[in-house]
Each structure stands twice: as C-alpha cells, then as structure tokens.
Amino acid sequence: MPQLALIAGTTLAATALVTCATLLALRLSRRRSVGLRSAVILGGALLSVILSTLAVAAEMYLAGHDVVVLSWVIGISAALSMAATWIITGRSARVSAAALIDDTRRIGAGDVVEPVATGWRELDEVSAELAETSSRLAEARAQIAELDAARRQFFAWISHDLRTPLAGMRAMAEALEEGTAPDTAAYVKVIRAKVDTLNQMVGDLFELSRLQTGTLELHPEPVVLLDLVSDAVADVQPSAVARGITVAQDGVGGRVLWADPKELTRAIGNLLANSLRHSPDHSTVLIRADALDDDQLVLSVIDQGPGVSAENLGRMFDVGWRADAARTHDAEGGTPAGAGLGLAIVRGIVEAHGGTVHAQRTDAGFQLDLLLPTTNAAETRGAMT
C-alpha cells in the first residue's frame, strides 16, 4: 500500500505540474494557429504520461538500460504523435477556415451560401449558422428593396397628386385675374374644392407621419359605436347620394368601444370613402358590427365593388398602394381619386388601438374588417392579476 500511495502521489504531482505548464503555453499561444494549440494540448498530455512513467520507473529502481530504452520509445512516440497532430490538425483547420472565410465574404457581397462540411462539429455548426444568416439577410435585403421601390413610387404619386390640383388652381386663378373666366362663381367653387382636396392630402400625410413615428397620442374612452359611425356616414353622405349609393347599418346600435373617438371616426370614414370610391352606382355599402367576445368586436364595411386580387389582399393597407396603378381622377374637378394613404392610416389607427385590419372576399361582397377592443385592456389585465 505505501508503494501504491507513492506511485499515485508521484503521478498526481507530475500531472499537475505539466497541466499548469500546458495552460501557460496555451495562454501564450492564444493568437496562434489551431494546429499549434492542438499540438500544445497533445504535448501536455504526452509529457504528463512521460514524466509520470519516468518518475515511477525511477522509484521502482529499474535498470539504467531499461530506463533509457523506455525513454527513447516514449520520446519518439510522443514526437511523432505531436508532429502528426500539428500537420493534420493545421491542414484541416486551414481548409475549414478558408471555406468559412470565403462564405463570410460571399455573405458580405450579398450571396446566399450553403452549409459546408468541414469535418469539425463546431465549425460545421458555425457554417450552418452562416448559411441561415445569409438566407435571413437575403430576405431582409429583398424587403428593403421592395420598401425602397414602394417609397419612390409613393413620393412620385404624391408629387403628381399635389401638382395636379395646383396646376388647375393656377390656371383658373390666372383666368379670374385676367377676367377671361366664363363663369366666375363656378371657377371659385372648383378652386375651393381643390383647396379642400389638398388640405385633406396634407392632413393625411401629417397623420401618417405621426403614426409611423409613434408620436400619435391616443385619448381612449368608452364611446358609442353608433355615434362614430353616424359621424363618418355624415361626412361621406353627399358623395353617396350623388351616385345613388345607400349606406346601411347592421348590428351597430348598442355597441360600446374603448377608443379615441376622433381617430377611430377618421378610420371608419376612410374605410367608407374607400368603399364608396370602388362601389358601382346605385349599390349598397353595409356597415356591420359583430361581437367576438366580451373584449372585442369586428366592424366590417362591405361593398359590391370588384375588390382586389387575392395576392394583393395583404398589400391593401400599405402606404401608397392602389388597386389601379393608373392615375385615375374624378371627372368633376380633375382631382386625384386617392393618394393611397387612406387605408394605411386606417391600419395605423387600428393597430395603435391594439386592433388589427383584414380584407377578404365573401358572399356578401368585398369586406374590410376592423378588429377593435371594447374594454380597456390595461384595466382588464390589472383585474386579472
């Protein structure tokens, strides 16, 4: 037993000494190649075995010749093992690193890369993560390009829509100034209508900027849905009457919402204006309310217009989007039929209230839905806790 304890102690001491030296060598070579650091680790393990073996051999009083032979065998084996480790590990690491570096450069250039099998589990995981990252970056770049194209188109459309009434107003103002206007009252009426159109467009741009920058401040309170719908209908009633369109209601009475009355009235009015714009003459636009549960209801505006294609249902509420890319104008005053802001404002207002918007085709017609809260969500969460 004393001899075994001595052998164990000798081995432990030699191993601890070599381990400390190996850790110090790794610290000093932390910026070196993988092959060198692998050789240092293997060398530390072999040196630990060599020192332990020689120390135990000395304690066992082996013959000098035997110790020399043992030392040579161990030394040559250790040297060859370290050299093989250095060469194989270094070569594999260089090849793998070159592949990863190439993938990284391709990702920086905008390419999508595939995972590379390096033979090293950790490096394979890095390669797989690089491939996934390249896919996500490609998707993000495509979205940015799409948004940038939409932004350029939006500004082109807005500038066109602003210039058109301004050009008409200028021409009519010059005719009034020169006294060549055949009907002064009619000219003044048209100019006033164009001013109202411009004012509405500028107001929509300001509202949209507040929604997109998060500076819109809501002042929600319990409001009667019928009051909001009635106000919105009153705003669009002249246009509806002029085209023989009936605005009907279903299930609106007796509903109470938790909302900012001014902003939600604007959203409902925009929905109605959009439906009237695309409804055929002498048709019906239906405003319907359905309760989902005690906390939410769906307010739907249904018209008999052509609607939009299935692939464009999700784009209807994007800024500047129009069902018809052509620049349609209304015949009376030559003003734009819409700047593509109304539905974007609807979505912003509804989402600011904690709701969602949705468009769909149904048997009743083309339907735009607003999912709205009927209670104060913050108070509801507080009561539940």
Side-chain angles (χ1 to χ4, degrees), residues 216 218-220 258-261 263-264 348-355 372-373:
L216 176 66
L218 295 179
H219 302 284
W258 180 261
D260 185 312
E263 296 299 333
L264 193 55
I349 292 175
V350 172
E351 290 180 350
H353 281 83
L372 298 167

Side-chain angles (χ1 to χ4, degrees), residues 74-378:
I74 294 175
I76 293 174
S77 299
L80 292 177
S81 298
M82 290 181 61
T85 300
W86 192 341
I87 294 173
I88 295 174
T89 305
R91 182 177 181 279
S92 300
R94 284 193 298 273
V95 173
S96 301
L100 292 179
I101 291 172
D102 182 64
D103 283 350
T104 305
R105 288 172 178 168
R106 290 176 58 195
I107 292 173
D111 295 338
V112 177
V113 300
E114 297 294 333
V116 177
T118 63
W120 299 71
R121 188 186 68 182
E122 292 80 1
L123 294 182
D124 286 347
E125 293 175 355
V126 173
S127 179
E129 187 61 31
L130 283 176
E132 179 66 22
T133 300
S134 69
S135 297
R136 292 197 298 266
L137 287 175
E139 293 175 0
R141 282 191 292 267
Q143 292 176 358
I144 291 174
E146 183 178 353
L147 290 174
D148 189 56
R151 178 186 60 82
R152 291 195 299 269
Q153 186 180 51
F154 168 70
F155 283 118
W157 284 357
I158 283 295
S159 62
H160 179 279
D161 289 346
L162 289 174
R163 285 198 305 266
T164 299
L166 287 174
M169 291 169 59
R170 181 183 180 87
M172 285 184 285
E174 290 176 351
L176 289 172
E177 184 179 17
E178 296 171 358
T180 59
D183 188 342
T184 302
Y187 270 44
V188 172
K189 181 180 178 181
V190 172
I191 290 176
R192 184 179 296 111
K194 290 180 178 292
V195 169
D196 291 340
T197 299
L198 288 174
N199 184 63
Q200 181 180 356
M201 291 179 61
V202 172
D204 286 346
L205 287 171
F206 178 68
E207 182 79 1
L208 188 64
S209 69
R210 291 200 300 164
L211 289 168
Q212 293 189 336
T213 58
T215 58
L216 176 66
E217 294 185 5
L218 295 179
H219 302 284
E221 61 185 58
V223 293
V224 178
L225 178 59
L226 181 59
D227 293 342
L228 304 185
V229 172
S230 298
D231 291 342
V233 171
D235 291 337
V236 300
Q237 193 64 33
S239 299
V241 171
R243 296 176 54 199
I245 298 176
T246 302
V247 180
Q249 303 177 18
D250 180 21
V252 176
R255 308 285 188 183
V256 178
L257 295 175
W258 180 261
D260 185 312
K262 177 182 176 182
E263 296 299 333
L264 193 55
T265 300
R266 182 187 189 109
I268 298 173
N270 284 359
L271 277 188
L272 285 174
N274 179 80
S275 293
L276 289 174
R277 184 178 302 120
H278 299 288
S279 295
D281 293 346
H282 309 291
S283 62
T284 299
V285 173
L286 175 63
I287 306 174
R288 188 179 69 200
D290 299 294
L292 289 183
D293 49 43
D294 293 338
D295 298 327
Q296 293 178 317
L297 67 79
V298 176
L299 181 65
S300 304
V301 177
I302 307 171
D303 62 65
Q304 306 305 312
V308 299
S309 59
E311 60 269 18
N312 286 326
L313 287 177
R315 300 180 55 203
M316 285 188 61
F317 299 93
D318 291 345
V319 175
W321 185 86
R322 295 187 184 185
D324 183 5
R327 309 306 296 156
T328 55
H329 295 76
D330 94 49
E332 178 182 354
T335 56
L341 303 179
L343 293 182
I345 291 174
V346 170
R347 180 174 66 179
I349 292 175
V350 172
E351 290 180 350
H353 281 83
T356 56
V357 296
H358 182 65
Q360 59 180 327
R361 291 179 177 272
T362 66
D363 294 337
F366 190 73
Q367 181 171 324
L368 297 175
D369 297 327
L370 306 184
L371 180 62
L372 298 167
T374 57
T375 59
N376 186 346

